[in-house]
């Protein structure tokens, strides 16, 4: 199981990594602080089982990253979960049309995050 989290907030990246390892210590969790880093990781590694993508990031926002992922034949089929503390219901349709598979609001506490990740970490055993 390989997950990639793309998020500009270092604390959120750390919490995500710790939650993944708490739920499934064998899972590989890749972290990218921005779109450029994420695209570099995706070019040089195995395909992740899931990509968790923050919506609001500097330089290149989640919408642009999602579009780039879906243009790439190699990455097109990787499920992308839009993962943000603020998901605007009006934007959901737009993200779906760009190829987002699911939407997950960032849980407020660590244990809620662990609970939210359980389904993802057990689906692809």
């Amino acid at each position: 199981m390989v997950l990639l989290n793309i998020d500009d907030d270092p604390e959120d990246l750390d919490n995500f990594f710790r939650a993944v390892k708490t739920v499934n210590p064998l899972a590989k969790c890749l972290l990218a602080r921005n779109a450029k880093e994420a695209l570099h990781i995706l070019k040089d590694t195995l395909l992740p089982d899931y990509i968790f993508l923050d919506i609001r990031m500097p330089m290149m926002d989640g919408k642009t990253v999602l579009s780039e992922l879906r243009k790439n034949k190699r990455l097109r089929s990787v499920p992308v979960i839009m993962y943000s503390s603020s998901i605007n219901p009006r934007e959901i349709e737009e993200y779906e049309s760009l190829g987002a598979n699911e939407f997950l609001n960032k849980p407020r506490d660590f244990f809620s995050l662990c609970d939210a990740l359980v389904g993802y970490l057990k689906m692809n055993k």
Side-chain angles (χ1 to χ4, degrees), residues 6 51-55 57 62 65-66 69 80-83:
I6 308 167
I51 296 172
F52 289 79
L53 176 58
D54 190 18
I55 291 174
M57 296 184 293
V65 175
L66 179 60
L69 294 173
V80 176
I81 295 90
M82 302 309 293
Y83 177 67

Side-chain angles (χ1 to χ4, degrees), residues 96-110:
E96 285 175 338
S97 72
L98 292 171
N101 298 86
E102 293 183 42
F103 300 85
L104 178 62
N105 280 318
K106 288 181 184 177
R108 295 185 188 271
D109 65 80
F110 180 76

Side-chain angles (χ1 to χ4, degrees), residues 53-78:
L53 176 58
D54 190 18
I55 291 174
R56 287 162 186 68
M57 296 184 293
M59 296 188 289
M60 188 184 291
D61 65 6
K63 188 183 305 183
T64 307
V65 175
L66 179 60
S67 294
E68 290 299 312
L69 294 173
R70 293 309 183 218
K71 287 178 193 175
N72 184 315
K73 285 183 183 181
R74 182 174 171 266
L75 303 172
R76 193 174 291 153
S77 64
V78 177

